[in-house]
Amino acid sequence: MSDGWIRQVSPMIGDEEALAVQQVVASGWITEGPESRAFVAELKECVGSRFAVLAPNGTLALALGLLALDIGPGDEVLVPDMTFVGSASAVVLTGAKPVFVDVEPVTFQIDMADAERRLTPATKAVMPVHLYGTACDMAAVSAFADRHGLQVIEDAAQSMGVRFRGQHVGTFGDVGCFSFFADKTITTGEGGFVTCQDEGVYERLRLLRNQGRMNSGTFIHPSVGFNLRITDMQAALGRVQLRKLGLIIERKLELLAAYREALSGVRGVRVLGAAEGANHVPFRCAIVVDDAAAFIEHLSSHQIEPRTFFYPLHLQPAFASLRGPDDHGFPNAVAGYEGGICLPLHSALTVDDVSRIARAIRDHQEAAREIGTP
Ligand SMILES: Cc1ncc(COP(=O)(O)O)c(C=O)c1O
């Protein structure tokens, strides 16, 4: 990179995307139209969903999905304690209450044994979040939901291309929600989509996203809805991205393999991989070390932009009002935050960049060993 920094995010976008957007602008039809219809059809085909609608971003995709399932005031939704804040704020937007659940110690996916402990009579739904490019155990989530009569909202924001036992994530639950933010596997700048397999839910999604009517062009609104549409410029960009999905995944896996090789033998560094039964489309190169804060400082001093893991939701200042007497604690989410680092993994990264990052990590570990810290 020209300023010497290795940045965290850099989408694989180029002339093809620019041309696609330009053609939409030239056509004069810039709101949802032919490109959006084609994009939805291609997305459905890609993930294997019966129905889908587009959304302005991943957070609003989640809110839309929750609202379509009639989740609102008085309801509780189980949300993993380690996820991006948008998973929980989408629940808050509907008037429902997110109830945090600890995560697994190895994969950092939702811990279903802990979910069981957090159930109350108000629990209406569970939101498995497929984190860091692999999947939650959807067999366990579905069995749990069936046992307790809960709805399932899958947060698949980070998970284009991720399958559990061969089935694309986002198609197991009542709704599945994806994000196309610039750091996601494919991007439209901002954007998202919601999948569902039930025609009734699909109709509610359509009404909610388009001002309470099934189609534009009428001012008679059978129900209350909102404007949660996107534009054909974004859809055109997304269609080009979707055609590159295989290439993007291939590149991500090559870089992850380079990281694994470069970090092999470095003591005290664990590289996260695929969860059991799932594949891995790495969102970042997620590693776990003893003391993430010291590493982050060291990497930044070498012009490498790292990120922490997500800050546990139960500690978020924004959710202080949700805190209650907690018997169970969240040891794994806290340990994940204290030890987790996301290293850059995107198509602009080179194998030389990976070597530079791995060298900085190795140097840090060796220096720590010399002064006797773990
Ligand atoms: C797990 C998860 N859920 C939800 C979101 C929200 O998506 P968006 O930024 O498109 O609103 C993100 C975005 O990073 C995410 O990582």
Side-chain angles (χ1 to χ4, degrees):
M1 299 238 152
S2 56
D3 63 358
W5 274 85
I6 300 180
R7 298 285 173 200
Q8 184 72 202
V9 174
S10 178
M12 191 193 271
I13 46 174
D15 293 347
E16 311 89 311
E17 282 84 353
L19 182 64
V21 173
Q22 201 185 328
Q23 281 169 346
V24 171
V25 174
S27 79
W29 190 291
I30 56 174
T31 56
E32 281 188 0
E35 290 294 327
S36 299
R37 282 193 292 278
F39 191 32
V40 170
E42 289 158 7
L43 286 167
K44 280 194 304 188
E45 165 101 33
C46 174
V47 303
S49 180
R50 278 190 78 197
F51 304 105
V53 298
L54 296 168
N57 54 57
T59 308
L60 289 174
L62 286 165
L64 185 55
L66 288 156
L67 290 170
L69 299 180
D70 206 21
I71 288 167
D75 297 330
E76 292 182 358
V77 180
L78 298 167
V79 177
D81 197 44
M82 182 190 286
T83 176
F84 181 63
V85 70
S87 310
S89 51
V91 176
V92 173
L93 197 69
T94 69
K97 177 182 168 192
V99 171
F100 305 128
V101 175
D102 204 7
V103 291
E104 297 272 358
V106 176
T107 62
F108 300 106
Q109 311 295 331
I110 190 168
D111 176 350
M112 296 316 294
D114 195 52
E116 200 89 47
R117 292 193 281 272
R118 314 266 179 185
L119 284 165
T120 76
T123 311
K124 180 99 178 271
V126 56
M127 182 188 288
V129 178
H130 305 291
L131 207 62
Y132 295 139
T134 189
C136 301
D137 178 348
M138 286 311 296
V141 173
S142 303
F144 169 82
D146 286 349
R147 215 161 45 244
H148 299 290
L150 306 179
Q151 288 167 307
V152 178
I153 297 97
E154 289 182 77
D155 181 340
Q158 303 181 354
S159 305
M160 274 305 285
V162 176
R163 290 182 162 73
F164 177 76
R165 296 188 185 163
Q167 182 176 337
H168 204 292
V169 299
T171 63
F172 290 85
D174 295 282
V175 293
C177 305
F178 293 78
S179 164
F180 298 137
F181 184 66
D183 67 347
K184 301 301 185 291
T185 304
I186 63 166
T187 185
T188 56
E190 299 277 3
F193 80 110
V194 187
T195 54
C196 68
Q197 313 313 316
D198 178 90
E199 196 157 4
V201 175
Y202 174 56
E203 282 185 9
R204 282 197 294 284
L205 287 169
R206 284 181 64 186
L207 289 167
L208 281 162
R209 72 185 298 277
N210 193 15
Q211 307 285 18
R213 57 195 169 177
M214 292 302 268
N215 295 299
S216 299
T218 168
F219 297 117
I220 300 178
H221 304 258
S223 61
V224 175
F226 312 96
N227 179 349
L228 298 171
R229 303 184 302 258
I230 67 162
T231 69
D232 251 22
M233 292 166 291
Q234 290 164 288
L237 203 161
R239 292 185 69 198
V240 180
Q241 286 275 291
L242 195 56
R243 288 201 287 277
K244 289 184 180 172
L245 178 63
L247 197 67
I248 294 171
I249 294 176
E250 204 178 296
R251 184 75 191 127
K252 279 176 172 274
L253 291 173
E254 272 170 22
L255 290 166
L256 185 69
Y259 266 117
R260 281 192 181 285
E261 195 183 323
L263 291 171
S264 69
V266 181
R267 271 187 29 184
V269 175
R270 176 164 75 87
V271 181
L272 256 62
E276 208 179 312
N279 64 326
H280 193 196
V281 178
F283 176 60
R284 303 284 200 276
C285 176
I287 64 169
V288 181
V289 297
D290 287 322
D291 178 2
F295 257 99
I296 282 174
E297 207 175 299
H298 176 79
L299 291 172
S300 303
S301 74
H302 283 70
Q303 296 193 301
I304 296 159
E305 192 177 43
R307 287 272 192 282
T308 63
F309 275 19
F310 293 120
Y311 191 55
L313 294 181
H314 77 281
L315 297 175
Q316 289 286 359
F319 297 136
S321 64
L322 296 177
R323 251 171 247 157
D326 175 35
D327 307 327
H328 314 299
F330 301 85
N332 300 329
V334 171
Y337 177 71
E338 288 173 354
I341 304 173
C342 285
L343 302 170
L345 195 155
H346 50 72
S347 56
L349 204 70
T350 64
V351 172
D352 282 349
D353 292 331
V354 171
S355 305
R356 188 175 130 198
I357 296 167
R359 207 174 320 117
I361 291 175
R362 191 183 293 269
D363 290 350
H364 178 74
Q365 281 303 68
E366 281 171 7
R369 215 169 49 230
E370 272 163 29
I371 59 168
T373 50

